[in-house]
Amino acid sequence: MALEDICGFKDTPVHRKWFPASHFEDTDRSFHMTDFGLRRLKKSGRNSGIPLQFFIPTLPNSVPFNPRPSLPFSPSNHSVTVSRPFPLSHGTTTLGFIFQGGVIAAADSRASAGGLVACPAVHKITPIHSHLVVTSSGSGADCMLWERILAREIRLYQLRHRRCLSICGTAKLLSFMLHPFKGTDVCVALTLCGWDKEVGPKLIYVCSDGARLNGDIFSVGSGSPYAYGVLDRELRWSLSKEEAISLAREAVFRATHRDAYSGNKVDIFHITAQGWISNCCSLEILFLLPGCLFRHEHRGRCGILQP
């Protein structure tokens, strides 16, 4: 699709069918679900005929729920939803805030499934492009899927229009794509932390029911009440870069002590007008000696690319 625009084939039937205009730049204009994809989404249960057919899961509205199928592997019951043997609760601690030096995003790295630590080294902060990162909380599979969809759509928009989509436009696009799955088992809570050339630092929270919230500080996850306790006491606009990074690290660190579903590393990203920079401080590699505490710190990669 993007190659059609780059090569100049903008008059093709495919382009006229799916890309009549830019829908997501005007942040003040409301969207009607039938204008872009919902009308076509209802055409088929397999989502055939829309560009996201390989990425968006089908809506579970055609198959009734049967927790005890008689023959789960028979051809007639191959699509029946099977209930989980026990409920899987999950939690995390992610946060983001704006200060005079840009935007700070921080998160722990523990993936949990009930009382099980499924993985101790999960990256819950995902770079979308050079000036935008996303913190994720909720179901791990759902978050990874929608982050990939969002990164793909942003990249295609950049190829078509020769510029990055604004943070507000990105939040509107993500909210619009998630809204049809409201009321389903999709569990996604993403915080968009980025920098716009026109408006500067932006922080927008988007969840799986399609809600969008603008703010200067967000903390999401089971450890968020403990992180808010630290942030509300120490956060101020005049923080220096070092103080902001230390505050984010301290907030997630305190949450890991009280929340059983949060722990291990703390990943920190700093987003400015020049791009994002990751600073990783491992809480797992702590060497306790009599009277000493050594913490391993590692300065990560940079995301300074031309949009």
Side-chain angles (χ1 to χ4, degrees):
M1 293 178 289
L3 291 178
E4 290 181 354
D5 300 339
I6 295 173
C7 298
F9 300 114
K10 294 187 177 181
D11 296 329
T12 59
V14 175
H15 188 276
R16 289 195 301 268
K17 180 180 180 181
W18 293 115
F19 309 107
S22 178
H23 292 274
F24 305 105
E25 280 298 320
D26 187 5
T27 58
D28 297 328
R29 183 170 51 133
S30 61
F31 281 96
H32 300 286
M33 295 302 296
T34 58
D35 291 341
F36 183 77
L38 188 59
R39 181 182 301 169
R40 299 182 180 91
L41 186 64
K42 292 180 179 179
K43 291 169 58 177
S44 173
R46 299 298 300 173
N47 292 347
S48 58
I50 63 173
L52 303 179
Q53 59 177 318
F54 299 109
F55 296 89
I56 293 183
T58 56
L59 294 175
N61 54 3
S62 60
V63 180
F65 176 76
N66 183 11
R68 303 175 67 180
S70 58
L71 294 175
F73 299 102
S74 62
S76 60
N77 296 325
H78 71 280
S79 60
V80 175
T81 303
V82 180
S83 62
R84 301 185 182 96
F86 54 88
L88 293 178
S89 58
H90 41 261
T92 185
T93 302
T94 66
L95 60 88
F97 60 83
I98 299 175
F99 71 110
Q100 66 173 356
V103 184
I104 291 292
D108 71 306
S109 63
R110 174 174 294 178
S112 57
L116 172 68
V117 179
C119 182
V122 174
H123 296 289
K124 299 180 182 180
I125 305 180
T126 305
I128 301 299
H129 61 73
S130 61
H131 290 74
L132 175 63
V133 301
V134 172
T135 67
S136 58
S137 59
S139 174
D142 292 339
C143 291
M144 292 178 65
L145 171 66
W146 286 103
E147 286 170 356
R148 291 177 181 177
I149 294 174
L150 182 62
R152 183 201 65 173
E153 292 298 319
I154 296 302
R155 180 57 178 164
L156 290 176
Y157 183 94
Q158 183 179 3
L159 291 173
R160 294 186 190 109
H161 301 282
R162 305 294 195 275
R163 58 190 175 90
C164 287
L165 185 63
S166 65
I167 308 300
C168 292
T170 303
K172 180 173 287 188
L173 171 63
L174 179 62
S175 173
F176 180 73
M177 291 190 300
L178 285 172
H179 187 271
F181 299 91
K182 181 179 180 179
T184 65
D185 291 334
V186 175
C187 181
V188 177
L190 305 179
T191 304
L192 280 65
C193 310
W195 186 284
D196 270 335
K197 291 183 178 180
E198 293 79 10
V199 298
K202 291 291 294 183
L203 197 66
I204 304 177
Y205 167 76
V206 181
C207 62
S208 52
D209 62 356
R212 297 195 317 272
L213 297 175
N214 286 272
D216 296 332
I217 172 176
F218 284 109
S219 183
V220 186
S222 57
S224 59
Y226 313 107
Y228 271 127
V230 177
L231 294 175
D232 291 340
R233 182 188 62 186
E234 301 292 341
L235 181 60
R236 61 186 186 275
W237 173 258
S238 59
L239 288 175
S240 64
K241 174 184 174 181
E242 290 75 17
E243 291 173 338
I245 293 175
S246 178
L247 175 61
R249 181 188 303 131
E250 182 73 12
V252 179
F253 177 75
R254 295 304 175 187
T256 59
H257 274 275
R258 294 294 181 183
D259 179 36
Y261 303 106
S262 303
N264 300 92
K265 290 195 313 178
V266 177
D267 296 330
I268 301 177
F269 279 68
H270 180 211
I271 305 97
T272 63
Q274 287 74 38
W276 55 261
I277 301 175
S278 67
N279 299 270
C280 302
C281 174
S282 175
L283 295 181
E284 191 178 39
I285 309 177
L286 292 177
F287 305 96
L288 296 175
L289 296 175
C292 300
L293 174 62
F294 299 93
R295 176 177 287 140
H296 170 75
E297 296 192 20
H298 173 69
R299 184 173 180 83
R301 47 189 180 143
C302 299
I304 305 176
L305 300 174
Q306 293 297 327

